Amino acid sequence: MVVVIMAGGKGTRIASVNSEVPKSMIKVLGKPVLQYQIEVLRKQGYTDIVLVTGYLGNVIEDYFGDGKEFGVQIQYIREEVPLGTAGALYYLKDKISEDFLLLNGDIVFDVNIGRFAEVHKEKGGLVTILTHPNDHPYDSGVIIADSGGRVQGWKTREENRTWYKNRVNAGLHMISPQIPVRLETPERKDLDRDILKPLIPEQQLYIYDSPEYIKDMGTPERYHAVMEDIRSGLVQRKNLAEKQKAIFLDRDGTINRYVGFLADINDMELIGGAAEAIRMINKSGYLAIVVTNQPVIARGEVSFGQLDRIHCKMETLLGEEGAYVDDIFFCPHHPDRGFAGERPEYKTECSCRKPKDGMFRQAAEKYNIDLQQSWMIGDGENDILAGRNAGCQAAYIGREKRPDALFYKDLLSAVKEIVRNHK
């Protein structure tokens, strides 16, 4: 598979770090960002690379040449005039006949590309974009997708979006060769506005969600954060080819205020310190995964759409404080019958309702999680039993100590201790 890297950006926001080279050539711990990208690609067997250059493109060509020194083969597309983030795809018409990976040249990442390619093939759309949660969704465009991963909407930060799922475009795209064919002339094009968003009404744009490490270094603050993450080894550890560690979190009474069966979105309020705790998890390298029993579905008190809105509110509130959850697993079942308005199809014994460990097993399979190196934090007996049944270590938060779990007064106290021991 060919990999196309858009490496012609000027890096206006990060000019204070180095304004004399293209953004993709700014060095992080002694190596250009573009070199980190090429090394990740080569390690996974992707050695056929096309670099799209523009601003100070000669700096890139002088450094990488034909790529042999770096174990790859590099071709160049040189923009004589700026063609935006997608106009140069026109020149791929006669170069590429199969799906290709397109990525931004200013990101540091370590992603299992094979998994990404498999999902793209399964979806069958013209483009699949890699999406993930981030710590600043309030100033990012958020992607709205259905349960099958087909994109339904794309809201910019300027648009009205009351509650939203923290899902943003990470800058990696699997693209059909049909896309370059659609470009009739080599003119300035914006990838998001002119190429990707028009695919939504065609139902040809899909997402692949991943918690792997992808971060642009477009500002001095992010540049220094990326530097520390490379130094600590976090970037490589987050690749899903590596075994992951997770902190599983109950929802009601752990993240949000307990109000019994939460059926009204207005009752979704974060507990003080919860966002700070989850922000610590995000920075630690653990995955933050919610596992919650939601019998309100079986009882007929909340629809799947209403539950999704409640979770969107939770993610929005967390995002406003720089925190995010990597995924949410919920059990909609309840074994007992006899409630007015109940949904019989969900009145069943299942393998996912805590204290059973079905949700943990689903998460472990999806994200290659080592459950024995993971934690469950909750405020109820079923949370602790479920964590134990899954093989996790357990931490109980509440008013009374338990003999089978470490006891903490709240989520923040528990996470501080776990992360400190992890380090």
Side-chain angles (χ1 to χ4, degrees):
M1 182 174 64
V2 174
V3 180
V4 180
I5 304 177
M6 306 301 289
K10 286 186 177 182
T12 305
R13 293 179 301 164
I14 198 172
S16 62
V17 175
N18 189 339
S19 61
E20 298 178 355
V21 297
K23 184 161 55 172
S24 60
M25 290 299 290
I26 291 177
K27 289 187 177 182
V28 181
L29 298 179
K31 287 192 295 189
V33 172
L34 190 53
Q35 185 174 342
Y36 281 104
Q37 295 184 338
I38 289 173
E39 289 174 351
V40 168
L41 295 168
R42 185 197 63 214
K43 182 180 177 181
Q44 298 185 49
Y46 300 97
T47 59
D48 192 355
I49 297 171
V50 176
L51 298 182
V52 179
T53 63
Y55 174 71
L56 294 179
N58 61 297
V59 175
I60 296 174
E61 294 194 34
D62 290 345
Y63 189 90
F64 291 102
D66 61 6
K68 287 183 180 179
E69 183 180 341
F70 300 89
V72 297
Q73 300 84 46
I74 297 177
Q75 301 178 62
Y76 294 90
I77 295 176
R78 304 169 183 87
E79 293 184 350
E80 300 302 328
V81 295
L83 296 177
T85 53
L89 296 183
Y90 169 86
Y91 295 108
L92 298 176
K93 286 183 174 186
D94 300 323
K95 292 180 180 289
I96 295 180
S97 59
E98 298 179 339
D99 292 344
F100 62 96
L101 174 64
L102 174 69
L103 57 95
N104 300 342
D106 65 342
I107 55 175
V108 171
F109 72 96
D110 200 332
V111 169
N112 188 325
I113 297 168
R115 288 174 64 125
F116 184 16
E118 287 176 10
V119 170
H120 171 65
K121 186 176 181 180
E122 290 170 3
K123 300 298 184 186
L126 292 179
V127 176
T128 303
I129 58 177
L130 194 152
T131 57
H132 66 167
N134 73 14
D135 58 9
H136 53 100
Y138 46 82
D139 68 359
S140 304
V142 294
I143 312 298
I144 303 165
D146 63 20
S147 58
R150 180 179 286 160
V151 177
Q152 305 295 307
W154 188 323
K155 287 188 174 290
T156 66
R157 60 186 176 183
E158 293 82 15
E159 294 180 80
N160 180 26
R161 49 184 201 187
T162 306
W163 309 122
Y164 52 84
K165 184 174 180 62
N166 185 342
R167 173 188 279 138
V168 304
N169 185 358
L172 285 82
H173 320 76
M174 287 286 175
I175 299 183
S176 163
Q178 296 180 44
I179 295 299
V181 171
R182 293 185 172 197
L183 302 179
E184 298 179 354
T185 58
E187 58 185 315
R188 191 179 186 91
K189 294 284 186 181
D190 180 81
L191 181 63
D192 293 353
R193 183 182 63 249
D194 299 321
I195 305 296
L196 300 181
K197 289 184 179 180
L199 295 176
I200 297 175
E202 295 182 38
Q203 299 188 354
Q204 289 293 327
L205 183 62
Y206 287 83
I207 64 164
Y208 166 64
D209 272 325
S210 174
E212 293 167 291
Y213 191 98
I214 308 161
K215 186 171 288 188
D216 76 78
M217 29 68 71
T219 68
E221 294 76 19
R222 292 177 200 167
Y223 169 79
H224 291 293
V226 164
M227 202 158 41
E228 179 55 36
D229 292 339
I230 292 174
R231 186 182 288 116
S232 70
L234 177 64
V235 178
Q236 183 175 345
R237 289 199 306 271
K238 295 285 282 184
N239 186 303
L240 290 181
E242 306 286 336
K243 277 293 183 181
Q244 303 296 304
K245 299 178 182 181
I247 295 181
F248 293 96
L249 304 168
D250 178 44
R251 194 194 76 179
D252 301 310
T254 301
I255 298 174
N256 60 278
R257 183 171 61 87
Y258 182 77
V259 294
F261 292 113
L262 197 164
D264 186 341
I265 193 170
N266 295 312
D267 291 332
M268 166 55 72
E269 298 177 9
L270 298 183
I271 295 174
E276 182 181 352
I278 294 173
R279 192 165 62 245
M280 289 183 65
I281 297 174
N282 301 149
K283 293 180 179 180
S284 72
Y286 280 97
L287 299 177
I289 297 179
V290 175
V291 285
T292 175
N293 290 344
Q294 289 300 316
V296 288
I297 296 290
R299 291 161 61 100
E301 297 170 354
V302 169
S303 68
F304 282 100
Q306 290 171 318
L307 181 60
D308 182 66
R309 286 282 290 167
I310 289 171
H311 285 156
C312 283
K313 181 177 180 180
M314 181 183 73
E315 292 203 46
T316 303
L317 295 176
L318 288 171
E320 289 173 350
E321 297 191 50
Y324 58 85
V325 294
D326 292 290
D327 208 339
I328 301 172
F329 293 82
F330 66 89
C331 170
H333 307 108
H334 193 278
D336 299 332
R337 297 175 180 268
F339 297 92
E342 67 184 16
R343 303 176 67 175
E345 66 271 31
Y346 294 104
K347 287 291 183 176
T348 180
E349 289 284 350
C350 64
S351 62
C352 56
R353 180 175 168 80
K354 292 179 293 186
K356 295 180 180 177
D357 64 354
M359 288 185 283
F360 297 79
R361 300 295 172 186
Q362 292 174 43
E365 181 177 357
K366 185 174 182 179
Y367 297 121
N368 193 23
I369 296 171
D370 182 346
L371 292 173
Q372 292 186 339
Q373 296 297 316
S374 300
W375 285 82
M376 173 65 203
I377 305 177
D379 69 329
E381 180 178 11
N382 283 344
D383 300 321
I384 304 307
L385 292 176
R388 291 295 189 191
N389 288 336
C392 299
Q393 302 169 81
Y396 177 71
I397 58 176
R399 298 179 180 177
E400 299 178 359
K401 295 184 178 181
R402 291 180 57 90
D404 56 348
L406 295 176
F407 172 77
Y408 299 94
K409 65 177 181 178
D410 54 29
L411 178 60
L412 182 58
S413 300
V415 169
K416 282 182 177 179
E417 184 72 17
I418 292 169
V419 170
R420 181 161 53 241
N421 289 337
H422 167 75
K423 287 184 177 179

